[in-house]
Amino acid sequence: MDYGKTFSDALEAIRREGRYREFADIKRRRGSFPNAKHFSGGAQHDVKVWCSNDYLGMGQHPLVIAAMHEAIDAAGAGSGGTRNIAGTTHYHVQLEAELADLHGKEAALLFTSGYIANDASISSLVRLLPGCVIFSDAMNHASMIEGIRHGGGPKHIFRHNDLAHLEELLQGYDGATPKLIVFESVYSMDGDIAPIGEICALGRKYGALTYLDEVHAVGLYGARGGGIAERDGVMDKVDIIEGTLAKGFGVMGGYIAASADIADAIRSFALGFIFTTSLAPAIVAGALASVRHLKVSQIERERHQERSAALKSRLHEAGLPVYDNPSHVVPIMVGDPVRCKALTDALMERFNIYVQPINYPTVARGTERIRLTPSPDHTDSDMDELVAALNQLWGEMDLRRAA
Protein backbone atom coordinates (compact mmCIF):
# COMPACT_ATOMS: atom_id res chain seq x y z
CA MET A 1 0.00 0.00 0.00
CA ASP A 2 1.23 3.49 -0.82
CA TYR A 3 0.66 5.12 2.57
CA GLY A 4 2.06 8.47 1.50
CA LYS A 5 -0.35 8.72 -1.45
CA THR A 6 -3.29 7.87 0.78
CA PHE A 7 -2.51 10.77 3.08
CA SER A 8 -1.69 13.23 0.29
CA ASP A 9 -4.88 12.31 -1.59
CA ALA A 10 -6.95 12.88 1.54
CA LEU A 11 -5.37 16.30 2.04
CA GLU A 12 -5.82 17.23 -1.61
CA ALA A 13 -9.51 16.35 -1.39
CA ILE A 14 -10.17 18.81 1.44
CA ARG A 15 -8.09 21.44 -0.36
CA ARG A 16 -10.30 21.08 -3.43
CA GLU A 17 -13.38 21.50 -1.23
CA GLY A 18 -11.92 24.73 0.15
CA ARG A 19 -11.90 23.52 3.74
CA TYR A 20 -8.21 22.78 4.31
CA ARG A 21 -7.38 24.40 7.65
CA GLU A 22 -4.42 26.71 8.05
CA PHE A 23 -3.19 27.96 11.41
CA ALA A 24 -2.46 31.63 11.97
CA ASP A 25 0.88 32.02 13.76
CA ILE A 26 0.09 34.72 16.30
CA LYS A 27 1.44 36.00 19.61
CA ARG A 28 -0.98 37.87 21.82
CA ARG A 29 0.33 41.04 23.42
CA ARG A 30 -0.14 41.02 27.17
CA GLY A 31 -2.01 44.06 28.38
CA SER A 32 -3.11 44.95 24.84
CA PHE A 33 -5.92 42.51 24.13
CA PRO A 34 -7.25 42.00 21.42
CA ASN A 35 -4.02 43.01 19.67
CA ALA A 36 -1.49 40.41 18.55
CA LYS A 37 1.54 39.87 16.34
CA HIS A 38 1.08 37.75 13.23
CA PHE A 39 4.12 35.86 11.90
CA SER A 40 4.10 34.95 8.22
CA GLY A 41 6.83 34.40 5.61
CA GLY A 42 9.58 35.58 7.90
CA ALA A 43 7.80 38.87 8.64
CA GLN A 44 5.53 39.99 11.44
CA HIS A 45 2.84 42.62 11.71
CA ASP A 46 0.17 43.78 14.13
CA VAL A 47 -3.32 42.32 13.84
CA LYS A 48 -6.61 42.69 15.64
CA VAL A 49 -8.06 39.37 16.82
CA TRP A 50 -11.82 39.00 16.23
CA CYS A 51 -12.25 35.24 16.72
CA SER A 52 -10.84 34.41 20.15
CA ASN A 53 -12.90 32.33 22.57
CA ASP A 54 -11.24 34.22 25.43
CA TYR A 55 -14.54 36.04 25.47
CA LEU A 56 -13.87 38.36 28.40
CA GLY A 57 -10.13 38.79 27.93
CA MET A 58 -9.51 37.03 31.26
CA GLY A 59 -6.38 35.40 29.82
CA GLN A 60 -4.90 38.91 30.02
CA HIS A 61 -6.33 39.93 33.40
CA PRO A 62 -3.69 41.12 35.91
CA LEU A 63 -5.15 38.98 38.73
CA VAL A 64 -4.94 35.84 36.59
CA ILE A 65 -1.41 36.51 35.40
CA ALA A 66 -0.24 37.34 38.93
CA ALA A 67 -1.74 34.12 40.29
CA MET A 68 0.04 32.08 37.63
CA HIS A 69 3.39 33.73 38.36
CA GLU A 70 2.92 33.11 42.06
CA ALA A 71 2.10 29.45 41.50
CA ILE A 72 5.19 28.92 39.33
CA ASP A 73 7.35 30.47 42.03
CA ALA A 74 5.68 28.39 44.75
CA ALA A 75 5.19 25.00 43.06
CA GLY A 76 7.27 24.93 39.87
CA ALA A 77 6.15 24.08 36.36
CA GLY A 78 4.39 20.72 36.01
CA SER A 79 2.00 18.89 38.30
CA GLY A 80 4.20 15.80 38.52
CA GLY A 81 1.72 13.14 37.47
CA THR A 82 -1.85 12.01 37.09
CA ARG A 83 -4.36 13.03 39.73
CA ASN A 84 -3.97 9.60 41.34
CA ILE A 85 -0.16 9.70 41.34
CA ALA A 86 1.22 12.96 42.77
CA GLY A 87 -0.78 15.22 40.45
CA THR A 88 -3.46 16.42 42.88
CA THR A 89 -2.08 19.71 44.13
CA HIS A 90 -3.76 22.02 46.60
CA TYR A 91 -4.64 24.28 43.65
CA HIS A 92 -6.69 21.47 42.10
CA VAL A 93 -8.58 20.86 45.33
CA GLN A 94 -9.32 24.57 45.74
CA LEU A 95 -10.52 25.00 42.16
CA GLU A 96 -12.84 21.99 42.31
CA ALA A 97 -14.40 23.42 45.49
CA GLU A 98 -14.90 26.81 43.79
CA LEU A 99 -16.50 25.20 40.74
CA ALA A 100 -18.86 23.07 42.83
CA ASP A 101 -19.90 26.24 44.67
CA LEU A 102 -20.30 28.15 41.38
CA HIS A 103 -22.87 25.64 40.15
CA GLY A 104 -24.51 24.84 43.49
CA LYS A 105 -23.38 21.21 43.36
CA GLU A 106 -21.80 18.93 45.94
CA ALA A 107 -18.63 18.29 43.95
CA ALA A 108 -16.68 19.11 40.82
CA LEU A 109 -14.02 17.28 38.85
CA LEU A 110 -11.26 18.86 36.74
CA PHE A 111 -10.15 17.62 33.32
CA THR A 112 -7.43 18.81 30.97
CA SER A 113 -10.00 20.22 28.52
CA GLY A 114 -13.71 20.61 27.96
CA TYR A 115 -13.46 18.06 25.14
CA ILE A 116 -11.99 15.44 27.47
CA ALA A 117 -14.53 16.30 30.17
CA ASN A 118 -17.40 15.54 27.80
CA ASP A 119 -15.86 12.47 26.17
CA ALA A 120 -14.74 10.86 29.43
CA SER A 121 -17.81 11.76 31.49
CA ILE A 122 -20.53 10.81 29.01
CA SER A 123 -18.89 7.53 28.02
CA SER A 124 -18.37 6.62 31.69
CA LEU A 125 -21.97 7.40 32.59
CA VAL A 126 -23.22 5.08 29.85
CA ARG A 127 -20.95 2.27 31.07
CA LEU A 128 -21.94 2.80 34.69
CA LEU A 129 -25.66 2.62 33.84
CA PRO A 130 -26.29 -0.74 32.11
CA GLY A 131 -28.82 -0.35 29.32
CA CYS A 132 -28.65 3.46 29.46
CA VAL A 133 -30.28 5.21 26.50
CA ILE A 134 -28.85 8.56 25.39
CA PHE A 135 -31.06 11.36 24.07
CA SER A 136 -28.81 13.85 22.30
CA ASP A 137 -29.62 17.23 20.75
CA ALA A 138 -28.94 17.24 17.01
CA MET A 139 -26.58 20.21 17.32
CA ASN A 140 -24.40 18.85 20.13
CA HIS A 141 -20.65 19.41 20.03
CA ALA A 142 -18.27 16.79 18.60
CA SER A 143 -16.89 16.02 22.08
CA MET A 144 -20.35 15.04 23.29
CA ILE A 145 -20.92 12.92 20.20
CA GLU A 146 -17.60 11.14 20.79
CA GLY A 147 -18.53 10.49 24.41
CA ILE A 148 -21.80 8.92 23.28
CA ARG A 149 -19.98 6.76 20.72
CA HIS A 150 -17.37 5.63 23.20
CA GLY A 151 -20.09 4.73 25.69
CA GLY A 152 -21.45 2.30 23.13
CA GLY A 153 -25.07 2.32 24.26
CA PRO A 154 -28.28 2.97 22.31
CA LYS A 155 -28.99 6.58 21.40
CA HIS A 156 -31.62 8.84 19.89
CA ILE A 157 -31.03 12.24 18.27
CA PHE A 158 -33.80 14.73 18.96
CA ARG A 159 -34.36 17.72 16.70
CA HIS A 160 -32.53 20.80 17.87
CA ASN A 161 -34.22 22.35 20.93
CA ASP A 162 -37.43 20.48 20.01
CA LEU A 163 -39.19 19.59 23.26
CA ALA A 164 -42.04 17.75 21.55
CA HIS A 165 -39.65 15.48 19.67
CA LEU A 166 -37.61 14.81 22.81
CA GLU A 167 -40.74 13.84 24.74
CA GLU A 168 -41.90 11.61 21.91
CA LEU A 169 -38.59 9.72 22.06
CA LEU A 170 -38.62 9.49 25.87
CA GLN A 171 -42.13 8.01 25.77
CA GLY A 172 -40.72 4.98 23.97
CA TYR A 173 -39.08 3.68 27.16
CA ASP A 174 -40.46 2.61 30.52
CA GLY A 175 -39.50 4.20 33.81
CA ALA A 176 -37.02 1.47 34.71
CA THR A 177 -34.77 2.17 31.71
CA PRO A 178 -31.78 4.37 32.58
CA LYS A 179 -31.79 7.51 30.43
CA LEU A 180 -29.47 10.46 29.90
CA ILE A 181 -30.44 13.68 28.11
CA VAL A 182 -27.38 15.45 26.70
CA PHE A 183 -27.59 19.04 25.49
CA GLU A 184 -25.91 22.47 25.50
CA SER A 185 -26.96 25.86 26.83
CA VAL A 186 -25.45 28.24 24.25
CA TYR A 187 -24.82 26.57 20.88
CA SER A 188 -21.57 28.12 19.76
CA MET A 189 -22.01 28.34 15.99
CA ASP A 190 -25.60 29.65 15.74
CA GLY A 191 -25.73 31.26 19.18
CA ASP A 192 -29.18 30.01 20.11
CA ILE A 193 -30.03 28.94 23.66
CA ALA A 194 -31.65 25.76 24.98
CA PRO A 195 -34.87 25.72 27.05
CA ILE A 196 -32.99 24.24 30.00
CA GLY A 197 -35.81 24.25 32.52
CA GLU A 198 -38.25 22.57 30.15
CA ILE A 199 -35.75 19.88 29.17
CA CYS A 200 -35.01 19.17 32.83
CA ALA A 201 -38.74 18.93 33.52
CA LEU A 202 -39.01 16.25 30.83
CA GLY A 203 -36.05 14.50 32.41
CA ARG A 204 -37.81 14.36 35.77
CA LYS A 205 -41.09 13.30 34.18
CA TYR A 206 -39.52 10.33 32.39
CA GLY A 207 -36.81 9.39 34.88
CA ALA A 208 -33.80 10.69 32.92
CA LEU A 209 -30.59 12.28 34.15
CA THR A 210 -29.72 15.62 32.50
CA TYR A 211 -26.24 16.53 31.28
CA LEU A 212 -25.78 20.18 30.30
CA ASP A 213 -22.76 21.57 28.44
CA GLU A 214 -22.31 25.22 29.53
CA VAL A 215 -18.94 25.68 27.78
CA HIS A 216 -19.97 28.84 25.91
CA ALA A 217 -21.84 30.31 28.88
CA VAL A 218 -19.81 29.85 32.08
CA GLY A 219 -18.28 33.12 33.19
CA LEU A 220 -20.49 34.99 30.72
CA TYR A 221 -24.01 34.61 32.15
CA GLY A 222 -25.57 34.51 35.59
CA ALA A 223 -25.02 36.67 38.65
CA ARG A 224 -21.76 34.83 39.45
CA GLY A 225 -20.86 33.46 36.03
CA GLY A 226 -22.56 30.12 36.52
CA GLY A 227 -23.97 30.14 32.99
CA ILE A 228 -27.42 30.15 31.44
CA ALA A 229 -28.75 27.70 34.04
CA GLU A 230 -27.83 30.19 36.77
CA ARG A 231 -29.27 33.11 34.80
CA ASP A 232 -32.55 31.23 34.34
CA GLY A 233 -32.69 29.98 37.93
CA VAL A 234 -32.60 26.27 37.03
CA MET A 235 -29.14 25.10 38.12
CA ASP A 236 -30.68 22.88 40.77
CA LYS A 237 -32.74 21.12 38.08
CA VAL A 238 -29.68 19.95 36.11
CA ASP A 239 -27.97 16.77 37.30
CA ILE A 240 -24.57 17.28 35.66
CA ILE A 241 -23.11 20.56 34.41
CA GLU A 242 -20.02 20.55 32.22
CA GLY A 243 -17.93 23.63 31.62
CA THR A 244 -14.59 24.94 30.44
CA LEU A 245 -11.90 27.13 31.90
CA ALA A 246 -10.59 28.09 28.45
CA LYS A 247 -13.30 30.48 27.22
CA GLY A 248 -15.10 32.80 29.64
CA PHE A 249 -12.46 32.12 32.29
CA GLY A 250 -9.62 32.62 29.81
CA VAL A 251 -7.18 29.87 30.83
CA MET A 252 -7.36 26.11 30.13
CA GLY A 253 -9.13 22.97 31.31
CA GLY A 254 -12.60 21.48 31.61
CA TYR A 255 -14.78 20.19 34.44
CA ILE A 256 -18.05 18.70 35.54
CA ALA A 257 -20.11 19.66 38.58
CA ALA A 258 -22.62 17.20 40.03
CA SER A 259 -23.56 15.23 43.11
CA ALA A 260 -20.69 13.85 45.17
CA ASP A 261 -21.46 10.27 44.07
CA ILE A 262 -21.63 11.11 40.35
CA ALA A 263 -18.38 13.09 40.47
CA ASP A 264 -16.68 10.33 42.45
CA ALA A 265 -17.93 7.62 40.10
CA ILE A 266 -16.54 9.46 37.06
CA ARG A 267 -13.30 10.13 38.96
CA SER A 268 -13.02 6.42 39.66
CA PHE A 269 -14.00 5.02 36.25
CA ALA A 270 -13.25 7.59 33.51
CA LEU A 271 -10.12 6.49 31.67
CA GLY A 272 -9.66 9.95 30.18
CA PHE A 273 -9.34 11.26 33.72
CA ILE A 274 -7.42 8.44 35.37
CA PHE A 275 -4.61 8.14 32.83
CA THR A 276 -3.99 11.82 32.00
CA THR A 277 -1.36 14.01 33.65
CA SER A 278 -3.16 16.72 35.57
CA LEU A 279 -3.17 20.39 34.67
CA ALA A 280 -0.05 22.33 35.70
CA PRO A 281 -0.39 24.22 39.01
CA ALA A 282 0.11 27.59 37.31
CA ILE A 283 -2.81 26.92 34.95
CA VAL A 284 -5.07 25.83 37.79
CA ALA A 285 -4.06 28.84 39.88
CA GLY A 286 -4.87 31.18 36.99
CA ALA A 287 -8.26 29.54 36.48
CA LEU A 288 -8.95 29.73 40.21
CA ALA A 289 -8.24 33.47 40.23
CA SER A 290 -10.48 33.96 37.20
CA VAL A 291 -13.41 32.01 38.66
CA ARG A 292 -13.16 33.86 41.96
CA HIS A 293 -13.01 37.25 40.25
CA LEU A 294 -15.97 36.61 37.95
CA LYS A 295 -18.10 35.42 40.85
CA VAL A 296 -18.13 38.97 42.20
CA SER A 297 -17.37 41.22 39.22
CA GLN A 298 -20.15 42.18 36.79
CA ILE A 299 -18.12 44.66 34.74
CA GLU A 300 -16.74 42.16 32.25
CA ARG A 301 -20.10 40.45 31.63
CA GLU A 302 -22.01 43.70 31.22
CA ARG A 303 -19.45 45.18 28.86
CA HIS A 304 -19.28 41.93 26.86
CA GLN A 305 -23.04 41.88 26.29
CA GLU A 306 -23.04 45.54 25.29
CA ARG A 307 -20.18 45.03 22.82
CA SER A 308 -21.90 42.03 21.23
CA ALA A 309 -25.17 43.91 20.80
CA ALA A 310 -23.35 46.94 19.41
CA LEU A 311 -21.51 44.89 16.81
CA LYS A 312 -24.66 43.07 15.70
CA SER A 313 -26.41 46.42 15.29
CA ARG A 314 -23.59 47.86 13.16
CA LEU A 315 -23.43 44.77 10.97
CA HIS A 316 -27.20 44.87 10.41
CA GLU A 317 -27.00 48.54 9.48
CA ALA A 318 -24.32 47.68 6.92
CA GLY A 319 -26.61 45.07 5.35
CA LEU A 320 -24.38 42.14 6.25
CA PRO A 321 -26.06 38.75 6.84
CA VAL A 322 -25.77 38.42 10.61
CA TYR A 323 -27.46 35.30 11.98
CA ASP A 324 -29.81 36.60 14.67
CA ASN A 325 -29.69 34.93 18.08
CA PRO A 326 -30.19 35.83 21.75
CA SER A 327 -26.58 35.24 22.84
CA HIS A 328 -23.17 36.88 22.48
CA VAL A 329 -22.25 34.83 19.38
CA VAL A 330 -22.00 36.87 16.15
CA PRO A 331 -22.11 34.59 13.07
CA ILE A 332 -22.05 36.11 9.57
CA MET A 333 -23.22 33.66 6.94
CA VAL A 334 -21.17 33.11 3.76
CA GLY A 335 -22.48 29.77 2.52
CA ASP A 336 -19.44 28.66 0.53
CA PRO A 337 -16.12 27.28 1.85
CA VAL A 338 -13.89 28.75 -0.86
CA ARG A 339 -15.35 32.25 -0.54
CA CYS A 340 -15.26 31.99 3.24
CA LYS A 341 -11.53 31.23 3.18
CA ALA A 342 -10.88 33.95 0.59
CA LEU A 343 -12.74 36.45 2.79
CA THR A 344 -10.73 35.69 5.92
CA ASP A 345 -7.45 35.66 3.96
CA ALA A 346 -8.25 39.12 2.60
CA LEU A 347 -9.17 40.43 6.05
CA MET A 348 -5.78 39.35 7.37
CA GLU A 349 -3.64 40.33 4.39
CA ARG A 350 -5.25 43.65 3.53
CA PHE A 351 -6.80 44.90 6.77
CA ASN A 352 -4.76 43.18 9.54
CA ILE A 353 -7.96 41.66 10.93
CA TYR A 354 -7.77 38.04 12.07
CA VAL A 355 -10.96 35.99 11.70
CA GLN A 356 -10.96 32.23 11.17
CA PRO A 357 -13.25 30.66 8.53
CA ILE A 358 -15.79 28.19 9.93
CA ASN A 359 -16.31 25.32 7.50
CA TYR A 360 -17.47 21.68 7.53
CA PRO A 361 -17.33 19.61 9.75
CA THR A 362 -17.67 22.35 12.38
CA VAL A 363 -20.85 23.48 10.59
CA ALA A 364 -23.01 21.80 7.96
CA ARG A 365 -22.03 22.15 4.31
CA GLY A 366 -23.63 25.20 2.77
CA THR A 367 -23.68 27.07 6.10
CA GLU A 368 -20.05 28.19 6.08
CA ARG A 369 -19.53 31.40 8.01
CA ILE A 370 -17.27 33.66 9.95
CA ARG A 371 -17.88 33.83 13.68
CA LEU A 372 -17.00 37.10 15.38
CA THR A 373 -16.33 37.29 19.11
CA PRO A 374 -16.39 40.87 20.36
CA SER A 375 -14.78 41.26 23.78
CA PRO A 376 -15.06 43.96 26.45
CA ASP A 377 -11.82 45.39 25.03
CA HIS A 378 -12.92 45.84 21.41
CA THR A 379 -13.53 49.55 20.89
CA ASP A 380 -16.00 51.44 18.71
CA SER A 381 -13.07 52.28 16.43
CA ASP A 382 -12.20 48.56 16.14
CA MET A 383 -15.80 47.86 15.13
CA ASP A 384 -15.81 50.67 12.58
CA GLU A 385 -12.69 49.23 10.94
CA LEU A 386 -14.08 45.70 10.92
CA VAL A 387 -17.46 46.65 9.46
CA ALA A 388 -15.85 48.85 6.80
CA ALA A 389 -13.49 46.04 5.77
CA LEU A 390 -16.29 43.47 5.63
CA ASN A 391 -18.52 45.80 3.64
CA GLN A 392 -15.79 46.45 1.09
CA LEU A 393 -14.89 42.78 0.68
CA TRP A 394 -18.53 41.69 0.53
CA GLY A 395 -18.99 43.93 -2.47
CA GLU A 396 -15.73 42.96 -4.18
CA MET A 397 -16.38 39.23 -3.78
CA ASP A 398 -20.09 39.48 -4.62
CA LEU A 399 -20.83 37.67 -1.37
CA ARG A 400 -24.31 39.16 -1.04
CA ARG A 401 -25.41 37.13 -4.03
CA ALA A 402 -23.53 34.01 -2.82
CA ALA A 403 -25.07 34.12 0.66
Side-chain angles (χ1 to χ4, degrees):
M1 178 176 182
D2 187 342
Y3 295 106
K5 186 175 186 303
T6 300
F7 298 134
S8 64
D9 286 350
L11 291 169
E12 180 57 31
I14 60 173
R15 285 192 179 96
R16 285 195 305 270
E17 292 177 35
R19 60 184 185 90
Y20 178 76
R21 298 178 183 224
E22 296 179 1
F23 294 160
D25 182 356
I26 66 169
K27 182 191 289 185
R28 301 205 299 175
R29 290 165 48 189
R30 182 169 68 97
S32 186
F33 186 79
N35 297 302
K37 289 284 186 183
H38 177 230
F39 298 83
S40 178
Q44 58 179 284
H45 60 278
D46 294 330
V47 297
K48 192 79 63 174
V49 179
W50 274 101
C51 58
S52 173
N53 279 339
D54 185 359
Y55 290 125
L56 302 179
M58 290 302 296
Q60 305 281 310
H61 197 285
L63 288 175
V64 174
I65 293 170
M68 296 182 77
H69 279 296
E70 183 180 340
I72 289 173
D73 291 339
S79 66
T82 65
R83 289 292 298 277
N84 189 50
I85 305 175
T88 296
T89 73
H90 190 52
Y91 301 102
H92 293 79
V93 175
Q94 288 180 302
L95 180 53
E96 286 175 338
E98 288 286 349
L99 293 168
D101 171 75
L102 176 66
H103 294 291
K105 302 300 183 188
E106 293 177 338
L109 190 66
L110 276 175
F111 293 82
T112 51
S113 72
Y115 190 105
I116 297 298
N118 273 336
D119 188 356
S121 298
I122 294 171
S123 60
S124 297
L125 287 165
V126 175
R127 295 189 188 108
L128 284 162
L129 297 166
C132 181
V133 180
I134 297 279
F135 300 85
S136 175
D137 188 284
M139 295 294 288
N140 276 343
H141 189 264
S143 59
M144 305 171 83
I145 295 168
E146 283 301 289
I148 294 167
R149 287 174 177 165
H150 291 156
K155 67 178 185 296
H156 293 282
I157 311 301
F158 62 92
R159 291 186 293 272
H160 180 51
N161 281 345
D162 189 328
L163 295 169
H165 189 216
L166 173 59
E167 182 163 24
E168 178 186 333
L169 293 171
L170 287 165
Q171 287 172 340
Y173 294 87
D174 61 33
T177 303
K179 309 171 194 71
L180 181 66
I181 303 171
V182 180
F183 63 111
E184 301 182 39
S185 60
V186 176
Y187 287 84
S188 63
M189 290 300 128
D190 287 351
D192 52 344
I193 295 176
I196 299 171
E198 292 89 336
I199 290 175
C200 290
L202 287 177
R204 292 192 301 275
K205 180 177 180 180
Y206 292 98
L209 289 173
T210 47
Y211 183 105
L212 173 64
D213 180 312
E214 287 259 41
V215 160
H216 290 274
V218 290
L220 308 179
Y221 297 89
R224 300 196 306 157
I228 298 294
E230 182 189 25
R231 185 198 71 176
D232 293 353
V234 294
M235 279 200 304
D236 61 321
K237 310 299 182 187
V238 184
D239 294 301
I240 305 157
I241 295 175
E242 185 267 347
T244 185
L245 302 164
K247 294 180 173 63
F249 296 120
V251 190
M252 179 184 177
Y255 64 90
I256 62 161
S259 71
D261 282 347
I262 288 176
D264 198 18
I266 292 174
R267 181 189 72 88
S268 300
F269 289 93
L271 301 183
F273 175 85
I274 294 169
F275 293 103
T276 299
T277 299
S278 68
L279 291 166
I283 291 173
V284 181
L288 179 60
S290 185
V291 171
R292 285 174 171 170
H293 174 74
L294 289 174
K295 280 184 176 181
V296 297
S297 176
Q298 304 300 325
I299 295 170
E300 293 84 2
R301 280 189 285 278
E302 291 172 357
R303 173 72 172 170
H304 180 240
Q305 289 295 317
E306 184 276 329
R307 293 284 79 190
S308 176
L311 180 59
K312 287 178 180 178
S313 177
R314 290 172 186 237
L315 292 166
H316 275 300
E317 289 173 5
L320 294 163
V322 184
Y323 189 89
D324 286 322
N325 62 62
S327 75
H328 61 280
V329 179
V330 187
I332 303 180
M333 307 308 290
V334 177
D336 177 85
V338 175
R339 289 174 184 241
C340 196
K341 179 67 165 57
L343 173 67
T344 56
D345 285 348
L347 284 170
M348 179 74 97
E349 293 163 6
R350 294 169 51 186
F351 298 96
N352 295 328
I353 292 172
Y354 173 39
V355 179
Q356 195 69 16
I358 307 294
N359 295 329
Y360 178 83
T362 306
V363 295
R365 298 179 194 274
T367 69
E368 292 82 7
R369 69 198 67 182
I370 59 173
R371 177 180 175 275
L372 303 173
T373 54
S375 76
D377 298 308
H378 283 95
T379 66
D380 286 346
S381 177
D382 294 335
M383 291 188 185
D384 290 341
E385 293 172 1
L386 172 67
V387 173
L390 284 171
N391 212 27
Q392 180 176 334
L393 293 172
W394 230 262
E396 290 177 3
M397 297 181 178
D398 200 18
L399 285 167
R400 283 186 174 83
R401 182 169 57 82

